[in-house]
Amino acid sequence: MDYRELFSSQEFRELLNEYERAEQQGYTPLLSSDDYTDIAEYYHYKGDFDRALQTIDQAIGVYPGALGPLVFRARAALMREENAEKALYYADQIEDKSDLDYYYIMAEILIAQYQPYKANDYLLEKLDDVDDDDQQDYILDVATMFADYEYWDLADSWMRSYDDHDIPDYQELLGRLCIARGDYDRAEQIFNALLDGNAFSTCYWSLLGLAQLFNEKVSESIQSCDYALALNPNDSESLLTKANALYKLGNLEETISCYARYMKSCGRELPDDFDINEYISKN
């Protein structure tokens, strides 16, 4: 989903204003579960994770069993709290266990439990239950999920079953696979071509910056990250890539500042005993 386009729409701005006005006046607005989830995604996008959780917990209270809020909360338990059992607690509350998003979150929980091949078997089994019209979307979603967790061979195996190699989502995934396999020149070509079609994509600029960094084009990488951060100042991947690029240039003061922004975007603070060289080695 292109959240930047959604969040800049007049319809969403009116929805957000209604929600925040109700919050200020102390009453619960009459919103759908999807509306609550979009608002939580907005706060998350803006780097306000606490407010995102507050919104999603409110949604779960209003709509117990609703898919969107529970998937968001389960994924937050995985990604932010690193608590697979807590994620499973929320996923188990989902009423519609035939929805594709339910399959995805259950697979993500298996991955978080270091069982990627069990997750793969589960998703292959569920493929038979997916409507024919939805199977190609399912295949690409699963490939993207494995890429997100850096199981590149599994991502590649699902990509091979996808038919339309020209659509941007497939090309983006292919570019990421090229980065993972060290084909940085091809990755740059892919992301530059994607940016020709959509110059306002934070994701494309960020991934181009990552490919350039690995390709030792450090100054170009910083420039690409700056374009991404102009679109979304809290984009964690761009902040991390830029910090690593600044470190390569020996600019330690700006490196630490950029890492501090990165940590904040992830809901964390720099530790008191922060050591830039140790931190770089882990990222």
Side-chain angles (χ1 to χ4, degrees), residues 47 49 79-80 234 236 261-268 279:
F49 186 65
M79 305 303 292
R80 292 284 185 155
N234 299 304
S236 59
R261 289 175 62 194
Y262 164 70
M263 294 287 281
K264 185 177 180 181
S265 75
C266 298
R268 296 178 286 168
Y279 197 79

Side-chain angles (χ1 to χ4, degrees), residues 65 67 90-100 102-103 106 122 126 129:
L67 178 76
Y90 286 109
D92 280 344
Q93 296 178 46
I94 295 171
E95 288 181 356
D96 185 1
K97 292 180 169 57
S98 65
D99 191 283
L100 301 189
Y102 175 77
Y103 299 162
M106 293 302 292
Y122 168 80
K126 291 300 182 183
D129 298 332

Side-chain angles (χ1 to χ4, degrees), residues 26 69 87 97 112 143 153 161 194 218 227 229 237 243 268 270 273:
K97 292 180 169 57
D153 288 343
S161 299
L194 287 169
V218 181
Y227 280 123
L229 293 168
E237 297 301 325
R268 296 178 286 168
L270 287 179
D273 58 350

Side-chain angles (χ1 to χ4, degrees), residues 244 247 259 275-283:
N244 280 291
Y247 182 79
Y259 269 123
D275 181 278
I276 187 65
N277 292 295
E278 179 183 353
Y279 197 79
I280 283 285
S281 70
K282 296 178 181 178
N283 292 278

Side-chain angles (χ1 to χ4, degrees), residues 213 239-249 255 259 280 283:
L213 177 64
L239 288 168
L240 180 59
T241 299
K242 183 178 178 180
N244 280 291
L246 289 166
Y247 182 79
K248 279 181 172 286
L249 294 179
T255 297
Y259 269 123
I280 283 285
N283 292 278

Side-chain angles (χ1 to χ4, degrees), residues 180-194:
R181 293 183 170 173
D183 193 349
Y184 307 128
D185 288 335
R186 189 180 181 198
E188 284 190 60
Q189 292 172 0
I190 289 170
F191 291 119
N192 275 312
L194 287 169

Side-chain angles (χ1 to χ4, degrees), residues 11-245:
E11 182 180 2
F12 180 78
R13 300 308 303 181
E14 291 174 358
L15 173 68
L16 181 65
N17 289 338
E18 178 185 354
Y19 175 78
E20 293 184 340
R21 185 167 56 250
E23 187 179 44
Q24 291 168 3
Q25 297 176 2
Y27 69 90
T28 301
L30 296 175
L31 306 178
S32 71
S33 62
D34 288 340
D35 287 340
Y36 275 111
T37 306
D38 286 344
I39 292 169
E41 291 284 6
Y42 169 80
Y43 290 134
H44 187 212
Y45 178 82
K46 289 293 185 181
D48 192 344
F49 186 65
D50 289 341
R51 199 165 187 185
L53 279 190
Q54 177 185 332
T55 302
I56 215 67
D57 287 342
Q58 185 180 22
I60 293 170
V62 176
Y63 296 103
L67 178 76
L70 287 167
V71 167
F72 183 103
R73 193 62 187 84
R75 190 163 286 124
L78 286 180
M79 305 303 292
R80 292 284 185 155
E81 301 167 71
E82 298 181 355
N83 190 331
E85 289 185 5
K86 191 173 184 179
L88 186 58
Y89 165 78
Y90 286 109
D92 280 344
Q93 296 178 46
I94 295 171
E95 288 181 356
D96 185 1
K97 292 180 169 57
S98 65
D99 191 283
L100 301 189
D101 283 330
Y102 175 77
Y103 299 162
Y104 301 151
I105 192 62
M106 293 302 292
E108 286 187 70
I109 291 169
L110 287 170
I111 292 171
Q113 294 172 326
Y114 306 104
Q115 301 181 77
Y117 292 98
K118 187 173 181 179
N120 187 62
D121 290 343
Y122 168 80
L123 291 165
L124 284 169
E125 178 184 329
K126 291 300 182 183
L127 180 60
D128 293 333
D129 298 332
V130 178
D131 291 342
D132 290 345
D133 291 343
D134 295 329
Q135 286 199 354
Q136 284 292 296
D137 288 340
Y138 178 82
I139 287 167
L140 190 59
D141 286 344
V142 171
T144 302
M145 184 193 69
F146 279 122
D148 289 344
Y149 285 94
E150 299 185 357
Y151 289 103
W152 298 106
D153 288 343
L154 290 174
D156 186 30
S157 69
W158 281 85
M159 288 174 68
R160 292 176 186 277
S161 299
Y162 191 74
D163 295 335
D164 189 353
H165 293 186
D166 294 327
I167 67 165
D169 285 348
Y170 179 88
Q171 286 295 308
E172 176 192 331
L173 190 53
L174 180 61
R176 293 172 63 192
L177 184 62
C178 288
I179 292 175
R181 293 183 170 173
D183 193 349
Y184 307 128
D185 288 335
R186 189 180 181 198
E188 284 190 60
Q189 292 172 0
I190 289 170
F191 291 119
N192 275 312
L194 287 169
L195 284 163
D196 286 342
N198 181 6
F200 297 100
S201 170
T202 302
C203 179
Y204 297 162
W205 282 115
S206 180
L207 287 166
L208 176 60
L210 184 63
Q212 290 166 330
L213 177 64
F214 287 139
N215 216 10
E216 300 299 330
K217 299 178 180 178
V218 181
S219 296
E220 292 179 38
S221 173
I222 291 173
Q223 185 178 47
S224 294
C225 290
D226 282 340
Y227 280 123
L229 293 168
L231 294 166
N232 177 12
N234 299 304
D235 184 64
S236 59
E237 297 301 325
S238 300
L239 288 168
L240 180 59
T241 299
K242 183 178 178 180
N244 280 291

